[in-house]
Each structure stands twice: as structure tokens, then as C-alpha cells.
Amino acid sequence: MNPAKFLSSAVVATAALIAAHGALADVNVRLMHVDQNPDVTTFYNDVARRFEAAHPGVKVDIQYLENESYKKKLTTLLQSPDKPNILYSWGGGVLREQVKAGVIEDLTAPMNSGWKDTLMAASVPPYVIDGKIYGVPFQTSQVGFFYNKDLFAKAGVDASSIKTWDDLLGAVKKFQAAGITPIIAGGGDKWPLHFYWSHLAIRIGGKPAFDAALRGEGKGFASDTFVRAGEMLKQLADLKPFQPGYLGATFPQSSGQFGDGKGAMVLMLNGMLGSMKANSADKIGIPDDKLGWMAFPTVAGGKGDPSDTLGGMNGWLVTKGSPPATTEFLRFFMEANNQKIAADKGLYIPVVNGTQDSIKRPVLRQLAENVSKSKYHQIYYDQMLGPSVGAVVNDVSADLAAGRTTPLDAANAVQAAWKLTN
């Protein structure tokens, strides 16, 4: 054998091996989220750095995009060659559309390898489509009224006495008589107002009414349950309970206004806590000892159970073509020890079993207990019904509040959109 030729071959082989290892080591995992709370970003970055330390050559890039911008740009992002590997998701109909488009990775195998068993049983179904698991749920939430204890005391309103819809209307009038804006709302983003219409439907008709509408029975989303929900939202809106300019206020702006004491209540999910901190003038908002929470009131004659909850089951999706390190990072992120940190810091309510006891923040612990006890946890209508129908739900909710449509027309519009897409 020619020694020079052997040496040349060895050099080529070694160079190829180095190149291959270099390629394997040069792995970027990009995660995109919508949580504005800087403490959440700090937590995400800390988990990423620790994962990188244990996986040399892997870089995890945490990217933030504002909630509404994210929703509007998501379709374009998914078509981009530089698309994120891990996407924030609300599950429901939006996920169904993404799976149908063929851009989301099937995670059934890794989830069924013991991963799924580490999560709350109720958390996985929103990410199951046709028997396959397409997402990893990581946090849950509940919508309810956060309130300013000082403003309640000033107006002489006892939060514990607000049990029914009529009680809420009476409280609104008391706040107005005391010169206090009763409710803050982010009407500019529309979806905060859909919490009223959908919550009223839940209280009026319960799970059976929603399930019947999904099946297309009777008048569907134009049935009496949904028309009455619109009538009751209009009843509230006619009292003019919201802050001046609420129809132009975004969710971040309204969170800041509530945090600055500009109104007594806000109907929102617990993500408001982080948004309030980021957008209030003092970057703190209402401290926990001055902050109260109460469930959405019941409706006289309603078929919904008072323990029924409206909220989210948010998770992570993996885009097609992502490197194996993507799933490895998600597994690491979802380890109980990491999720206990999020619980302990009060960042969100994790769905990993055994983490709830680490929740120290009273308001979050209360919501975690509410969701765990609820027999019916309804995912937000605007996410559950898919992007096109969800947009109509949000539009008609804002239009009802503004007096631009009637309860019957609003319900008919949602039913027409549902029928068109199904």
C-alpha cells in the first residue's frame, strides 16, 4: 500500500468525521412564546442555559412575540424556512388547522413512552387529534374576575356577596355611584370580551349546550343558550361599566390600567398577572394582598354547574423537520424539578403531576384547585372552534358590547361560520 495514499485517505476520513460531528454539534432549537412577563422569559432562559450545559453544541433560542402579532403572523411563520421549532399553542381548532396543513410533528411515540403519564389526565385531550398526540401541554388557566380590594372597600361592595349575574349588575351600579369605573376591558383585542359571551353560555346551557352545538343539533350556536348569552352581555354593556376608550384598549394596555387602579375588576385569565406587572406604571401593579379573585357569577335557571370553568390548556408544538434535540429539550423543560420552579415563582399553573403543592402564590393555588375540581373545563371558544369561527366569536362579542349587533344576529353569525367550516 502506498503510505502517502493511506495518509491522504485517513486525512479525508478524519476531516469528514470532524465535519459530521461539527454538523451534529451545530444544532439550534428555536422556541417562540407570547408571555410578556419578564420573569417568565428569565425562567425559560435559565432552563435553556442548563439544557445547553448538558448538551454541548446545542443552542436554545427563546423568542418572544406579542400575543396578537403572534396569532397574525403564525401562518407565515410556519411557512418560513426559519420557522421556530417549538411553538406556543392554545390547542383546539387552531391546532386542528395546523395539523391539517401538515406542519406539526406527531408526538404520539414520545408522549406514550411514559411522558404523558407525568401530566394531569385532563391536560392531554386538547392536543389529541384522530387518536394522535400533537402537543405537550404545560400550563392551565382559568378565567375569572380579578378585583381591587381597596376599590371594593371604597364602594362598599362585598366580593363574597357577588354570586349571581344580578349581583354583578348591582355591584356595577354601586361602583358607578361611588365614582369608580366598575370593569376594565381590552376591547381593542376583542377576545377579552368573548369571555363574557362564552362564560354566560357556559352558565346558561352547560356542557350539553356546547356539545350539541358542535354536533350541529337544532339551531347549533344560534340556539336559545347563545342568544340569551348575547342578551345578558348587552344587559351589562348597556350599563356602560367599562373604562373610557375600552374598545380601543389592547390586552396589555388594559392590564396596565387595572394594575394602576383605574377600575375595580377585570375579567381575565391568570396571564393577566404577568401582563399587569409589565404594563402598570410602577411595573408591579396591584400587590397580592390587595388583589382578590372571584368566579364568574351564576345565572338564574342556568343548567351549568357553578364549578364549571373556562380557561386554557396551553402547550408546546414541534414543527415538522425539527432536529431531535427539540423533543429532548421539551422533555427537559417539562421535568417536575423545572416545573416546580415555575410553580414556586408563581409564573403559571403547571400541569405536571406533583407540582401543584409548590404553588405559593395564593391566587394561583386557588385557580389550580378550581380547575382540578372542575368536571367541565371549557377551552376558550375562540381557540376551540378554530381560527375562522373563533374570529367571528370575538367580533360579535365586541359588537355586542358596543351595541353594533343584536344578540340574535350575533348567534346566527357564529352558527353560519361554524356551518361553513364544518
Side-chain angles (χ1 to χ4, degrees):
M1 177 181 285
N2 184 332
K5 186 175 181 181
F6 175 79
L7 184 60
S8 176
S9 299
V11 169
V12 170
T14 302
L17 190 62
I18 291 172
H21 275 280
L24 287 173
D26 187 20
V27 177
N28 288 306
V29 175
R30 296 183 299 279
L31 178 149
M32 182 165 284
H33 71 98
V34 300
D35 199 313
Q36 194 181 18
N37 185 353
D39 293 337
V40 170
T41 300
T42 298
F43 165 67
Y44 289 166
N45 285 330
D46 173 65
V47 175
R49 300 298 82 81
R50 287 188 282 112
F51 179 80
E52 290 170 348
H55 297 78
V58 178
K59 171 68 176 174
V60 180
D61 182 19
I62 306 296
Q63 304 170 344
Y64 161 77
L65 191 59
E66 189 276 328
N67 190 80
E68 292 306 299
S69 296
Y70 176 78
K71 291 177 182 176
K72 291 173 183 175
K73 296 178 180 179
L74 190 52
T75 301
T76 304
L77 284 169
L78 287 170
Q79 303 302 324
S80 166
D82 296 321
K83 63 180 178 290
N85 304 108
I86 301 173
L87 294 170
Y88 189 92
S89 174
W90 291 268
V94 175
L95 173 61
R96 286 197 299 272
E97 292 290 324
Q98 293 165 342
V99 170
K100 187 177 179 181
V103 294
I104 303 300
E105 196 67 64
D106 178 357
L107 299 177
T108 307
M111 284 290 280
N112 281 341
S113 65
W115 194 355
K116 180 178 67 174
D117 298 333
T118 67
L119 312 176
M120 288 181 190
S123 68
V124 179
Y127 292 89
V128 176
I129 297 175
D130 297 330
K132 296 180 179 179
I133 305 173
Y134 287 94
V136 182
F138 78 100
Q139 66 163 301
T140 188
S141 58
Q142 181 185 3
V143 175
F145 280 103
F146 290 90
Y147 66 89
N148 185 319
K149 291 181 179 179
D150 285 348
L151 293 183
F152 266 61
K154 184 178 178 181
V157 175
D158 178 7
S160 66
S161 69
I162 302 177
K163 301 295 185 185
T164 68
W165 184 250
D166 287 341
D167 292 336
L168 179 66
L169 299 182
V172 164
K173 294 173 184 176
K174 269 194 170 185
F175 284 118
Q176 290 172 327
I180 297 169
T181 296
I183 305 173
I184 297 292
D189 284 337
K190 298 183 179 180
W191 59 264
L193 293 172
H194 111 280
F195 289 155
Y196 289 90
W197 188 74
S198 51
H199 232 140
L200 283 164
I202 289 168
R203 292 291 186 253
I204 294 165
K207 190 174 189 295
F210 185 75
D211 289 347
L214 289 180
R215 294 191 296 267
E217 295 177 6
K219 296 180 180 179
F221 287 101
S223 70
D224 290 346
T225 288
F226 303 97
V227 175
R228 190 177 172 209
E231 291 171 347
M232 298 185 80
L233 172 52
K234 184 178 183 300
Q235 184 184 24
L236 173 66
D238 285 347
L239 294 178
K240 301 189 183 305
F242 306 117
Q243 81 274 23
Y246 79 96
L247 286 171
T250 64
F251 162 60
Q253 289 169 339
S254 63
S255 299
Q257 290 171 338
F258 177 70
D260 291 338
K262 299 297 177 67
M265 295 177 279
V266 62
L267 181 64
M268 188 46 63
L269 66 146
N270 39 280
M272 188 281 302
L273 298 170
S275 184
M276 173 181 70
K277 181 175 181 178
N279 293 285
S280 56
D282 61 5
K283 302 303 178 186
I284 297 174
I286 301 171
D288 280 6
D289 63 332
K290 300 290 186 180
L291 183 69
W293 186 92
M294 61 185 185
F296 195 87
T298 60
V299 170
K303 297 178 181 177
D305 190 290
S307 69
D308 291 344
T309 50
L310 171 70
M313 200 61 76
N314 301 353
W316 302 114
L317 311 180
V318 174
T319 56
K320 279 280 181 70
S322 293
T326 305
T327 306
E328 291 178 32
F329 173 69
L330 273 186
R331 275 187 181 274
F332 179 75
F333 177 87
M334 292 298 293
E335 288 180 0
N337 286 341
N338 286 325
Q339 292 303 300
K340 283 180 179 179
I341 296 172
D344 180 71
K345 291 180 178 293
L347 302 180
Y348 53 79
I349 303 171
V351 300
V352 174
N353 293 327
T355 59
Q356 283 69 46
D357 288 343
S358 297
I359 300 175
K360 295 177 180 177
R361 197 169 186 179
V363 65
L364 290 184
R365 180 177 280 271
Q366 179 182 355
L367 301 189
E369 291 174 356
N370 292 345
V371 175
S372 67
K373 293 176 183 176
S374 173
K375 295 182 180 68
Y376 171 35
H377 183 67
Q378 174 60 56
I379 303 299
Y380 314 117
Y381 277 14
D382 64 336
Q383 295 297 326
M384 188 68 185
L385 298 177
S388 56
V389 183
V392 174
V393 169
N394 291 339
D395 286 344
V396 301
S397 297
D399 288 343
L400 281 165
R404 294 189 293 252
T405 190
T406 67
L408 180 59
D409 286 345
N412 282 333
V414 175
Q415 174 58 16
W418 178 253
K419 191 173 181 180
L420 183 65
T421 57
N422 294 274

